[in-house]
Amino acid sequence: MNTVTKEAAIHKMNSWGSEGRPFLFIIDFLQKKPIILPLDEVNEQQLLFKTPLFSNAKNILSDRQIEMEAFPISKDEYAGQFEKVISEIRRGNSFVVNLTCQTPIKCNTSTNHIFHASKSKYGLWYKDHFVCFSPETFVQIENGCIKTFPMKGTINASLPNAVEEILNDEKEKAEHNCVVDLLRNDLSVIAENVEVTRYRYIDKVVTEEGALLQVSSEIAGVLHADYKEHLGDIIFSMLPAGSITGAPKIKTTEIILDTESYHRGYYSGVFGVFDGRSLDSAVMIRFIEETEQGLVFKSGGGITAKSNLDDEYNEMKAKVYVPATGKY
């Protein structure tokens, strides 16, 4: 699949937006290998995607259950990275850092089949590269209104009083507040009348290992009348996504690159579609990559000064799942 430079990607998105030409965009975390394709040129043998706005995937049914075994990094290895992040926060270099890891996994099926089986809001399969089944909306644009939906906060739904626990947890409150402020500022650069229209609402995600509750907010603003001519500028101005970096974004990204022991690649980037009128996109979390050594699942969570090592390590492991009904 041909990638382009960031500048070329912005130009294509601006041009095709102005023309009303539908397109797909896939942008990696560091924005070094964007893929921008007209929708009528997407090869379904290489790329499958699904969003609430548009999908090129057909339903495939099977009785086969997904079986997955994970081999996470040791708690000691995670602790070294955790403490490094905490020290940066204590120095005042960041308020929240999204620390992620890669977990080798064994699975009884292919990434293509995982794409079809996963019951997620968004999905993306790139042949021989990765599959993503994301619950998190990045940006939606419709009739000049732009919205973003930062997702911060995860808890096992089976725990007693799980909703109250996650909503009242001081660490989770601080992390969510920080990311909401960051995304509100990001929107304010490109839109007017920016406001938080829904704050800390709960979504439920069903996985093979049980249900999770996740906390999101909705932030909305109004774009200028010529926004379709600037779709590339709009999307790239908000990257990397605040929910999977932290704040302040530039310095926190530097901390991430200095701390994490692997390359994120397309994980925690964004992908989306423009159908000629509206745009919908997702943050590429819940992500399995195909490597020469086998499959790896990439996951993580936000670290603040109030974070607890055990809780963060367990959250990273809890996010290694496939949101499937068990049959596909």
Side-chain angles (χ1 to χ4, degrees), residues 134-205:
S134 177
E136 182 174 356
T137 303
F138 176 50
V139 164
Q140 292 177 336
I141 301 175
E142 186 173 10
N143 297 325
C145 177
I146 183 169
K147 296 180 179 180
T148 188
F149 302 80
M151 179 179 285
K152 271 297 166 193
T154 303
I155 192 171
N156 187 326
S158 68
L159 294 176
N161 304 312
V163 172
E164 292 79 7
E165 283 289 329
I166 191 71
L167 292 180
N168 293 325
D169 186 286
E170 292 300 322
K171 179 265 177 182
E172 297 292 351
K173 282 184 184 179
E175 180 185 352
H176 197 95
N177 290 346
C178 187
V179 173
V180 166
D181 279 344
L182 175 61
L183 268 295
R184 184 167 53 187
N185 289 337
D186 282 354
L187 275 196
S188 295
V189 174
I190 54 176
E192 299 176 344
N193 302 321
V194 174
E195 59 179 336
V196 180
T197 45
R198 296 175 68 194
Y199 183 66
R200 296 194 81 208
Y201 60 89
I202 299 289
D203 285 320
K204 187 174 185 178
V205 178

Side-chain angles (χ1 to χ4, degrees), residues 32-184:
K32 294 184 180 295
K33 296 182 178 181
I35 298 170
I36 317 293
L37 294 171
L39 283 188
D40 58 9
E41 294 182 13
V42 175
N43 183 344
E44 295 178 8
Q45 302 302 311
Q46 290 186 306
L47 279 174
L48 291 172
F49 64 88
K50 57 182 176 181
T51 76
L53 181 64
F54 192 84
S55 173
N56 73 339
K58 300 178 179 64
N59 289 330
I60 296 179
L61 299 177
S62 169
D63 289 331
R64 188 177 187 184
Q65 290 189 333
I66 293 178
E67 297 176 2
M68 187 172 69
E69 185 177 5
F71 305 89
I73 65 172
S74 69
K75 186 175 175 181
D76 286 344
E77 184 178 350
Y78 181 84
Q81 298 178 29
F82 176 86
E83 291 300 333
K84 187 172 183 178
V85 166
I86 289 293
S87 69
E88 292 286 354
I89 292 172
R90 288 172 178 160
R91 291 191 188 104
N93 292 329
S94 181
F95 300 106
V96 56
V97 178
N98 195 76
L99 177 63
T100 73
C101 307
Q102 61 178 6
T103 298
I105 62 170
K106 290 182 179 179
C107 190
N108 67 331
T109 190
S110 68
T111 54
N112 180 278
H113 287 164
I114 291 172
F115 170 86
H116 288 289
S118 58
K119 306 302 179 184
S120 57
K121 188 174 184 180
Y122 299 89
L124 179 65
W125 171 74
Y126 182 5
K127 183 179 180 181
D128 297 329
H129 288 78
F130 63 80
V131 63
C132 172
F133 31 90
S134 177
E136 182 174 356
T137 303
F138 176 50
V139 164
Q140 292 177 336
I141 301 175
E142 186 173 10
N143 297 325
C145 177
I146 183 169
K147 296 180 179 180
T148 188
F149 302 80
M151 179 179 285
K152 271 297 166 193
T154 303
I155 192 171
N156 187 326
S158 68
L159 294 176
N161 304 312
V163 172
E164 292 79 7
E165 283 289 329
I166 191 71
L167 292 180
N168 293 325
D169 186 286
E170 292 300 322
K171 179 265 177 182
E172 297 292 351
K173 282 184 184 179
E175 180 185 352
H176 197 95
N177 290 346
C178 187
V179 173
V180 166
D181 279 344
L182 175 61
L183 268 295
R184 184 167 53 187

